[in-house]
Structures are given as structure tokens and as C-alpha cells.
Amino acid sequence: MNWKSIIQIHNKNYIQARLGQIEKILKGQENTLKRNPGLMGGKLGIALYFLYYAKLVDKQEPYDHGLELLSSVFEDVNNGFNYHTHAGGLAGIGVVMEILNNADLVDSDTNELLCGLDEYLYKRMIHDVKEGNYDFLHGAVGLAFYFLKRLSGENSRKYLEEFVEELDKIAIKDEQGIRWISELDKEKRAKGFNLSLSHGLASIIAFLSKLYSINIAKEKVFELLKGAVKYLLNQQQDVSKYDSNFPSWICETEPSKYSRMAWCYGDLGIGIALWLAGNNTNNEAWKAKAVEVLLQTTKRRSVKETGVVDAGLCHGAAGIAHIYNRMYNYTNIKDFKESAIYWFNKTIEMAFHKDTLSGYKVHRVEKHGGPYENFAFLEGIAGIGLAFISAISDTEPAWDEVLLLN
């Protein structure tokens, strides 16, 4: 893809200064980083920032710091770290190394580096999917994503075919389409159908479309994909009543009509999943529906309509801006560019906390401790920085595949 910078010179200069500030702040977090090697909340996600920042400014020092963080991650693995998930564990580590290698940001033999993880992650993947834990961030879909990125692995295709078979076994199929049941609230023991990109149906749709594009169990994958899209589209609701095209989930005991503007839940993640499904299967109707849903979201700007109160990738302004930036680069539709710029400006405005060097905090209600600093990828300044880099750089942000955005 010929990625296009979207930010004009005035804000570009401001953002470059802000990125340099983020670099200095992250370098001062060595003790914090030692406690967590993972992608979404730890060293690995911060390494992504340093490597992309180094490419942007063409300097060796931040690149070397990123490599040091990667080396530290693998020291943790060699010392017994064995948590398995995409969000915080070995699967995410493998995915990031494959992405960095393919983007020529590191030069490593990933097959040699990662092959020792394969059997363990395969067993965890099959265990999780049989238990009905298909969650992208914390369950089987995230583990299967590891094998999708590890196609050079000796057994990766076989493992993925087995995953599809097991996913098929736990699917619910009827005239509404195909879906998979989730535990929505542990305390209330509420179960239903999660529609989100972070934990639910949208992640399965995006992932299956990737499998289809590389000819893994193609007939079965397309059957599941077609049925899942059918079920999803059957849940579309009157946006004039609820602000959103889709609810967060479907559950009789815990109904949800409104959904926020975010990567994790709501129309943005669902729209991207539909786009990927359409693009990877050459289905123009699905692509058109994705554009329709996402264009409608560009009209949502107020806090009441969006639920946006902080800046992180997961559910904040930078994540929204980056999704629109992605869609502009996919489609060349000007409304997406204008919305990306609007939300990048909002991200700049949200650096208002005077008791932090970066100005950014994650929102939390006062009874739970109030807003707090976060340095990591998913909710913190490393992710905000990566979104800013993608706004002012001509380098495609391959990193966002860890969020199923490409």
C-alpha cells in the first residue's frame, strides 16, 4: 500500500515535538517495563514505538533502544515467562516479531526464534477453543492469529485447519446466521453474543477473512465467514434511535443498544472487520456496507454520542483517528481523511493533565482512583505515539495488524 501522510505542516511540527517528548518519557520507565514483557501493556508494545519512531526520524539511538527492549522480552521468555495470549503473552510476541521482520524493521530468523513456542501455543489454542474461549485478546482467535503469521512453521497450516474444525463445532447455526456464545459478565453469569473486534464476532470475521485469503480450509472458512457476516448484519439497528448501527452485544438479560466509538467495541471495529471481509473475499457488497457504517460514524462527535473521554488506541481519540486514517488510505474517501484529522486534533487537545510529563492519562472514575498515567501500547502514550507517527509518515503502519486493522 502507498501510505499517505495526512497532517499539514503546522500540526506536523507540533506532533514531531510531542513524539520526541514521548521517547524521553518512555526511556525513563525501565523499572516499570521490567514487570511486563507483553504486547498490549508491556515492553513489547513500547519496543514497537521506538522502532517506528527511529524510522521516522532516521536515528540509530531509538532503534537501538527498541532492540534492547526486544532482547529483554526474549530474556524473560528464556527465564520461564510462559503466559500464552495475544494481548500479554507469547502469541503476541511471535506476531510482533513476524510483523517487524516483514516490515524490515528487524532482521531475524523468526522460524528459529519462535519454533520452540509452536507446540505449546497449539495446545493452548485447542484447549481454549474447545472451552468456548475464542477471545482475540485473551483466547483462541489470538493464538490462531499467531499461526497465521507463522506460516513458515512446519505445522502451522495443519494447526489452523484444526482450529477451523473446532471453531465450527462450537458455532451456533440457524436462519439468523452463525455466531459464537460468550460470557459477557462473570459476576452476573450473563451469556450472549459479543459483536466486538476485541473479544467477539467482528474479530472472528476479520480473522476468517485472512484465512480465506491464504487458502486455509477455504470452503469451511467461507461457510463460517458468510454465516457470521449474515448474523452480524441481522443485528444492525436504527442508528437514529441508538446513535450506533450495532449494539456491543446481544443478550436477553443484559441488553445493549448503544455502543461507543472505539476500536474495542462498536461500529468502528465492526466496520473495519466488514471491510477486511469484503476486501479479502472480493465481496463488494460487504465493502460497501463497511463504508456505509463507517461514514455514518463520522457524524458522531460529542462525548454523549461517542463516549470518548481520553486518548488511547483502545477506546480513545488516537484509536479513532488511526482507524479513519486507515480507511482513508484504503478508500481515498475524503470524509475519512477529514475525520482522522479532527480526531488527531482532539488527541492533541487531550494532553491537558498538568501533573504528567506527557499530559495524557487514561480515564477512570474517582471512586476507582481517578485518571492514571499509562505508558503502554493499548491505552497509553506508546500507542498514542504510534498513531501520531502514522499520521505524519509515509510508512505504512504494519504494527496495526496486532489490532486486526490490516
Side-chain angles (χ1 to χ4, degrees):
M1 173 181 284
N2 185 23
W3 187 264
K4 301 178 288 292
S5 168
I6 63 168
I7 298 294
Q8 300 301 313
I9 190 67
H10 173 71
N11 275 351
K12 188 172 183 178
N13 291 338
Y14 174 88
I15 288 171
Q16 286 176 323
R18 175 69 64 174
L19 291 171
Q21 185 180 30
I22 289 173
E23 179 203 15
K24 292 177 183 177
I25 294 167
L26 292 178
K27 280 184 177 177
Q29 298 305 313
E30 300 301 328
N31 291 330
T32 302
L33 298 176
K34 285 179 181 177
R35 296 195 291 269
N36 185 345
L39 167 58
M40 299 297 176
K43 284 183 284 193
L44 183 62
I46 293 174
L48 279 174
Y49 176 80
F50 280 104
L51 295 173
Y52 273 89
Y53 178 70
K55 185 173 179 63
L56 175 75
V57 297
D58 193 23
K59 290 183 179 178
Q60 189 65 34
E61 185 181 356
Y63 182 77
D64 289 342
H65 196 76
L67 292 184
E68 288 174 15
L69 286 171
L70 290 180
S71 177
S72 176
V73 167
F74 280 94
E75 284 179 19
D76 291 339
V77 174
N78 292 333
N79 288 331
F81 177 75
N82 66 354
Y83 191 58
H84 60 282
T85 69
H86 175 68
L90 299 172
I93 293 169
V95 166
V96 167
M97 292 308 299
E98 292 288 359
I99 288 172
L100 290 174
N101 205 51
N102 291 337
D104 294 324
L105 287 170
V106 298
D107 183 13
S108 61
D109 184 343
T110 54
N111 202 38
E112 180 179 346
L113 191 66
L114 301 173
C115 64
L117 305 180
D118 290 356
E119 186 175 357
Y120 172 65
L121 292 179
Y122 157 71
K123 290 177 180 178
R124 291 296 321 192
M125 176 182 74
I126 296 303
H127 172 270
D128 282 0
V129 72
K130 284 185 174 181
E131 291 293 311
N133 176 18
Y134 63 85
D135 193 296
F136 171 60
L137 290 181
H138 308 297
V141 172
L143 295 165
F145 185 47
Y146 166 85
F147 290 108
L148 183 143
K149 299 305 296 179
R150 284 268 301 122
L151 287 180
S152 61
E154 181 180 358
N155 295 308
S156 290
R157 284 184 172 267
K158 181 178 72 173
Y159 291 163
L160 286 167
E161 288 169 357
E162 187 173 346
F163 169 77
V164 172
E165 290 175 9
E166 295 298 332
L167 190 67
D168 182 51
K169 289 177 185 177
I170 64 169
I172 296 173
K173 305 178 183 181
D174 57 27
E175 67 281 354
Q176 293 185 64
I178 297 176
R179 67 275 196 197
W180 291 264
I181 199 162
S182 294
E183 186 173 57
L184 302 174
D185 190 315
K186 288 185 179 181
E187 291 184 3
K188 296 179 180 179
R189 296 183 179 179
K191 292 188 175 183
F193 304 106
N194 191 320
L195 303 186
S196 73
L197 188 59
S198 54
H199 308 294
L201 187 67
S203 68
I204 294 180
I205 288 170
F207 178 73
L208 289 175
S209 77
K210 288 174 173 287
L211 289 185
Y212 181 88
S213 71
I214 56 172
N215 296 311
I216 299 286
K218 198 164 187 177
E219 289 186 10
K220 176 58 68 177
V221 163
F222 188 69
E223 174 195 327
L224 294 174
L225 178 59
K226 185 177 179 181
V229 171
K230 179 181 178 181
Y231 179 79
L232 179 64
L233 295 182
N234 277 334
Q235 310 317 309
Q236 190 168 8
Q237 60 193 14
D238 186 347
V239 71
S240 66
K241 287 185 179 180
Y242 305 111
D243 289 328
S244 54
N245 279 278
F246 295 93
S248 293
W249 56 75
I250 306 299
C251 178
E252 290 183 5
T253 59
E254 298 291 327
S256 166
K257 291 296 186 181
Y258 167 85
S259 62
R260 68 196 305 174
M261 286 264 287
W263 167 78
C264 53
Y265 279 89
D267 291 355
L268 292 175
I270 288 170
I272 281 283
L274 286 172
W275 174 266
L276 291 176
N279 193 57
N280 288 333
T281 63
N282 295 314
N283 187 313
E284 294 300 321
W286 291 352
K287 289 170 68 175
K289 176 57 72 172
V291 169
E292 173 195 314
V293 168
L294 290 166
L295 281 176
Q296 192 282 323
T297 66
T298 65
K299 302 172 184 177
R300 298 169 65 180
R301 296 283 173 91
S302 70
V303 173
K304 177 181 179 295
E305 291 171 319
T306 64
V308 178
V309 291
D310 54 20
L313 289 179
C314 182
H315 48 256
I320 295 172
H322 185 72
I323 289 172
Y324 285 135
N325 196 8
R326 255 289 163 199
M327 285 306 298
Y328 171 64
N329 276 277
Y330 281 143
T331 66
N332 211 33
I333 294 174
K334 290 183 179 179
D335 284 354
F336 291 137
K337 179 180 179 179
E338 291 170 0
S339 292
I341 292 170
Y342 172 85
W343 284 103
F344 277 122
N345 287 334
K346 283 293 181 184
T347 305
I348 291 170
E349 292 173 12
M350 286 180 172
F352 60 81
H353 294 278
K354 295 182 180 180
D355 57 341
T356 67
L357 290 174
S358 71
Y360 290 108
K361 286 188 175 183
V362 180
H363 175 73
R364 183 171 58 190
V365 296
E366 291 299 330
K367 71 176 182 179
H368 295 305
Y372 64 98
E373 271 191 290
N374 189 300
F375 305 104
F377 172 83
L378 189 61
E379 294 185 287
I381 60 172
I384 293 168
L386 281 163
F388 275 145
I389 290 170
S390 300
I392 65 174
S393 170
D394 293 328
T395 298
E396 182 177 6
W399 59 265
D400 68 4
E401 192 175 9
V402 304
L403 298 174
L404 292 178
L405 297 179
N406 77 62

mmCIF file of all heavy atoms in Angstrom, residues 24 34 111 113 164 174 191 258 337 372:
data_model
loop_
_atom_site.group_PDB
_atom_site.id
_atom_site.type_symbol
_atom_site.label_atom_id
_atom_site.label_comp_id
_atom_site.label_asym_id
_atom_site.label_seq_id
_atom_site.Cartn_x
_atom_site.Cartn_y
_atom_site.Cartn_z
ATOM 1 N N LYS A 24 11.494 10.394 25.285
ATOM 2 C CA LYS A 24 12.223 10.651 26.524
ATOM 3 C C LYS A 24 11.486 10.062 27.727
ATOM 4 O O LYS A 24 12.105 9.498 28.638
ATOM 5 C CB LYS A 24 12.412 12.154 26.717
ATOM 6 C CG LYS A 24 13.364 12.784 25.706
ATOM 7 C CD LYS A 24 13.454 14.294 25.904
ATOM 8 C CE LYS A 24 14.355 14.928 24.853
ATOM 9 N NZ LYS A 24 14.405 16.405 24.982
ATOM 10 N N LYS A 34 10.122 -3.558 33.321
ATOM 11 C CA LYS A 34 10.675 -4.859 33.673
ATOM 12 C C LYS A 34 9.605 -5.848 34.124
ATOM 13 O O LYS A 34 9.799 -7.054 34.043
ATOM 14 C CB LYS A 34 11.726 -4.691 34.778
ATOM 15 C CG LYS A 34 13.048 -4.114 34.279
ATOM 16 C CD LYS A 34 14.036 -3.942 35.429
ATOM 17 C CE LYS A 34 15.339 -3.334 34.917
ATOM 18 N NZ LYS A 34 16.293 -3.078 36.016
ATOM 19 N N ASN A 111 11.668 -18.173 12.254
ATOM 20 C CA ASN A 111 11.360 -19.601 12.388
ATOM 21 C C ASN A 111 12.229 -20.230 13.479
ATOM 22 O O ASN A 111 11.743 -20.986 14.328
ATOM 23 C CB ASN A 111 11.569 -20.317 11.059
ATOM 24 C CG ASN A 111 10.787 -21.615 10.986
ATOM 25 O OD1 ASN A 111 9.656 -21.699 11.467
ATOM 26 N ND2 ASN A 111 11.381 -22.640 10.399
ATOM 27 N N LEU A 113 13.710 -18.530 15.864
ATOM 28 C CA LEU A 113 13.435 -17.815 17.103
ATOM 29 C C LEU A 113 12.174 -18.313 17.795
ATOM 30 O O LEU A 113 12.103 -18.383 19.026
ATOM 31 C CB LEU A 113 13.298 -16.315 16.794
ATOM 32 C CG LEU A 113 13.251 -15.331 17.953
ATOM 33 C CD1 LEU A 113 14.575 -15.307 18.695
ATOM 34 C CD2 LEU A 113 12.900 -13.935 17.427
ATOM 35 N N VAL A 164 -10.049 -24.319 12.719
ATOM 36 C CA VAL A 164 -11.299 -24.079 11.995
ATOM 37 C C VAL A 164 -12.305 -25.188 12.299
ATOM 38 O O VAL A 164 -13.499 -24.918 12.507
ATOM 39 C CB VAL A 164 -11.033 -23.969 10.481
ATOM 40 C CG1 VAL A 164 -12.351 -23.925 9.706
ATOM 41 C CG2 VAL A 164 -10.202 -22.727 10.173
ATOM 42 N N ASP A 174 -28.219 -21.115 12.552
ATOM 43 C CA ASP A 174 -29.647 -21.157 12.269
ATOM 44 C C ASP A 174 -29.955 -20.157 11.165
ATOM 45 O O ASP A 174 -29.038 -19.662 10.496
ATOM 46 C CB ASP A 174 -30.482 -20.896 13.531
ATOM 47 C CG ASP A 174 -30.151 -19.572 14.210
ATOM 48 O OD1 ASP A 174 -29.688 -18.644 13.512
ATOM 49 O OD2 ASP A 174 -30.358 -19.454 15.431
ATOM 50 N N LYS A 191 -24.595 -14.574 29.612
ATOM 51 C CA LYS A 191 -24.006 -15.044 28.361
ATOM 52 C C LYS A 191 -24.806 -14.508 27.180
ATOM 53 O O LYS A 191 -26.001 -14.255 27.291
ATOM 54 C CB LYS A 191 -23.956 -16.570 28.321
ATOM 55 C CG LYS A 191 -22.980 -17.161 29.328
ATOM 56 C CD LYS A 191 -22.804 -18.654 29.126
ATOM 57 C CE LYS A 191 -21.733 -19.199 30.072
ATOM 58 N NZ LYS A 191 -21.489 -20.640 29.859
ATOM 59 N N TYR A 258 -26.864 0.967 22.615
ATOM 60 C CA TYR A 258 -25.819 1.942 22.307
ATOM 61 C C TYR A 258 -24.450 1.270 22.367
ATOM 62 O O TYR A 258 -24.185 0.436 23.236
ATOM 63 C CB TYR A 258 -25.868 3.078 23.317
ATOM 64 C CG TYR A 258 -24.666 3.996 23.306
ATOM 65 C CD1 TYR A 258 -24.592 5.058 22.418
ATOM 66 C CD2 TYR A 258 -23.604 3.788 24.180
ATOM 67 C CE1 TYR A 258 -23.493 5.912 22.408
ATOM 68 C CE2 TYR A 258 -22.501 4.632 24.186
ATOM 69 C CZ TYR A 258 -22.446 5.686 23.297
ATOM 70 O OH TYR A 258 -21.355 6.510 23.285
ATOM 71 N N LYS A 337 -10.505 11.126 5.724
ATOM 72 C CA LYS A 337 -9.332 11.967 5.995
ATOM 73 C C LYS A 337 -9.702 13.120 6.926
ATOM 74 O O LYS A 337 -8.997 13.399 7.909
ATOM 75 C CB LYS A 337 -8.759 12.514 4.692
ATOM 76 C CG LYS A 337 -7.551 13.417 4.892
ATOM 77 C CD LYS A 337 -7.015 13.926 3.561
ATOM 78 C CE LYS A 337 -5.810 14.844 3.758
ATOM 79 N NZ LYS A 337 -5.273 15.335 2.471
ATOM 80 N N TYR A 372 -5.301 7.967 35.434
ATOM 81 C CA TYR A 372 -3.962 7.478 35.769
ATOM 82 C C TYR A 372 -3.061 7.463 34.538
ATOM 83 O O TYR A 372 -3.521 7.366 33.409
ATOM 84 C CB TYR A 372 -4.034 6.073 36.378
ATOM 85 C CG TYR A 372 -4.567 5.014 35.443
ATOM 86 C CD1 TYR A 372 -3.705 4.174 34.731
ATOM 87 C CD2 TYR A 372 -5.938 4.835 35.267
ATOM 88 C CE1 TYR A 372 -4.193 3.211 33.878
ATOM 89 C CE2 TYR A 372 -6.436 3.868 34.416
ATOM 90 C CZ TYR A 372 -5.563 3.058 33.726
ATOM 91 O OH TYR A 372 -6.052 2.098 32.869
#
